[in-house]
Amino acid sequence: MILFQGTGHLHRIAPLTFNFFTLREVRIRCFGVWFVKHYIYVKITQYNWKKKTVRDNSLAVGQELPKLLTRVRSPVIASFIMETEPERSAMRIIAENRRGVLRDIATVVAEHDANIVMISQEVFDSGPYCGKAELYFEYDCTDTNDHEHLIEDLNAIPSVLEVKAYKPFGHIFGSRVIIIGGGAQVAQVALGAVNEADRHNIRGERISVDTIPLVGERTLALAVDAVARLPRASILVLAGSIMGGDITKAVDRVREAGIPVIALKMAGTVPEHADLVVTDPIQAGVFAVMHISSKAVFDINRVRGREF
């Protein structure tokens, strides 16, 4: 039994589950005489007076966390990196534009036990390197002390002109919100997404917003299909007045690739195939950012198929 201070006297309550206790003193004045009592102060977790049971809001063993990070396809996009994950690095190489260069570079990278996870290549059409090839790639390497040796060996390739190390795009631009559709609707969705992303990026996350206003079923379908091939694309928002046909088929393929789709409330069959339908375009942008954030509590998986 434990005691607590009341008005003019001490009350007694039933035994409760507690986390810790401390000894406290109670002074009571009765008929001009002071009485000193000591009692134990107890911190109660939570008590249900009707069911007479103590409830604990902590997670049970094996219960999933309310916010999962498995939706992010790249481990470097998350706000932290697990100790078991290899370190991700990036390099930009300027080389001669001829056959066999990519083979030579990949051979050197493999000799250093590094795994290339993303690669991009193009030829300069202007500037001091006009006509030369640019190769950017990100790789995982378990030996963090081997980067300098890797750069030295890459510079030793005869066709390589310059090698520089950089932070990977996941640490700079982070997860990407892709917004496609009509210009007016895209602008409103971007307004909500950028405002929400600003709040998260200030706190250390990295979320970027990419937009492209397009018209025409075929053009939109090609753009939607390409989202599944974009690096770090984490969610797609379709903003328009009417979408269907080939666009709907492209939406299904994007969702099969693991990228959720939010659609504005519109005519056509796209809203029936989207994960979430939102009437307010600004709110749609906010939902998109909150879903891919590693710190927000909104999860599109819990409201899939609903309309707001």
Side-chain angles (χ1 to χ4, degrees):
M1 309 293 284
I2 63 173
L3 302 176
F4 68 96
Q5 185 178 4
T7 304
H9 59 283
L10 296 179
H11 292 273
R12 188 172 61 182
I13 63 176
L16 303 175
T17 302
F18 55 87
N19 294 332
F20 64 88
F21 59 89
T22 56
L23 184 65
R24 292 191 178 184
E25 181 182 274
V26 179
R27 295 179 179 270
I28 305 175
R29 185 175 182 179
C30 183
F31 300 105
V33 179
W34 284 95
F35 294 88
V36 179
K37 296 288 183 180
H38 293 84
Y39 73 101
I40 295 178
Y41 171 78
V42 178
K43 181 183 178 181
I44 303 171
T45 55
Q46 189 172 358
Y47 193 82
N48 189 331
W49 295 100
K50 294 183 179 180
K51 297 184 178 180
K52 304 295 182 182
T53 57
V54 178
R55 296 181 299 177
D56 189 0
N57 294 328
S58 60
L59 293 174
V61 177
Q63 183 178 351
E64 293 182 346
L65 292 173
K67 188 69 174 179
L68 299 177
L69 295 178
T70 53
R71 298 186 303 271
V72 181
R73 296 183 294 169
S74 175
V76 300
I77 300 176
S79 57
F80 62 91
I81 301 177
M82 301 298 292
E83 295 180 358
T84 56
E85 292 289 344
E87 180 181 354
R88 180 153 299 182
S89 304
M91 282 190 184
R92 176 177 181 256
I93 300 176
I94 308 298
E96 297 289 345
N97 181 25
R98 61 179 179 83
R99 289 176 295 182
V101 175
L102 182 59
R103 175 203 59 202
D104 298 338
I105 293 174
T107 300
V108 172
V109 173
E111 290 174 352
H112 286 264
D113 198 24
N115 181 39
I116 297 177
V117 294
M118 194 276 280
I119 189 169
S120 174
Q121 185 177 350
E122 64 176 348
V123 177
F124 290 101
D125 56 5
S126 62
Y129 295 113
C130 183
K132 305 299 182 182
E134 178 194 33
L135 179 69
Y136 171 86
F137 65 91
E138 297 181 1
Y139 63 97
D140 291 337
C141 186
T142 55
D143 188 359
T144 57
N145 298 321
D146 195 40
H147 295 299
E148 295 298 330
H149 298 293
L150 176 58
I151 294 176
E152 292 177 2
D153 292 345
L154 288 172
N155 276 313
I157 300 176
S159 56
V160 172
L161 305 177
E162 179 182 286
V163 180
K164 286 187 178 180
Y166 294 94
K167 287 286 187 182
F169 284 142
H171 289 297
I172 301 173
F173 296 107
S175 306
R176 300 170 69 181
V177 178
I178 312 298
I179 307 173
I180 301 176
Q185 292 93 334
V186 166
Q188 291 300 303
V189 175
L191 176 63
V194 170
N195 285 337
E196 183 67 18
D198 178 67
R199 296 176 56 248
H200 293 275
N201 291 344
I202 287 176
R203 292 165 175 81
E205 291 190 87
R206 288 294 180 269
I207 300 174
S208 55
V209 181
D210 297 81
T211 66
I212 178 170
L214 296 171
V215 294
E217 179 183 346
R218 180 60 178 168
T219 304
L220 284 167
L222 290 174
V224 172
D225 259 328
V227 172
R229 305 191 300 271
L230 286 175
R232 307 180 324 280
S234 300
I235 192 168
L236 169 64
V237 183
L238 292 176
S241 301
I242 178 171
M243 292 186 187
D246 290 340
I247 305 174
T248 301
K249 298 177 183 178
V251 167
D252 292 336
R253 289 189 289 268
V254 169
R255 293 183 61 207
E256 290 174 0
I259 301 176
V261 178
I262 296 178
L264 296 186
K265 189 174 182 180
M266 66 178 79
T269 57
V270 162
E272 300 174 6
H273 292 251
D275 293 282
L276 185 66
V277 179
V278 183
T279 303
D280 183 9
I282 296 179
Q283 188 63 50
V286 173
F287 277 153
V289 172
M290 291 178 65
H291 172 72
I292 65 176
S293 169
S294 60
K295 298 180 181 179
V297 297
F298 176 76
D299 191 343
I300 201 172
N301 297 309
R302 297 186 174 183
V303 293
R304 177 172 283 111
R306 296 184 59 183
E307 179 180 314
F308 293 95

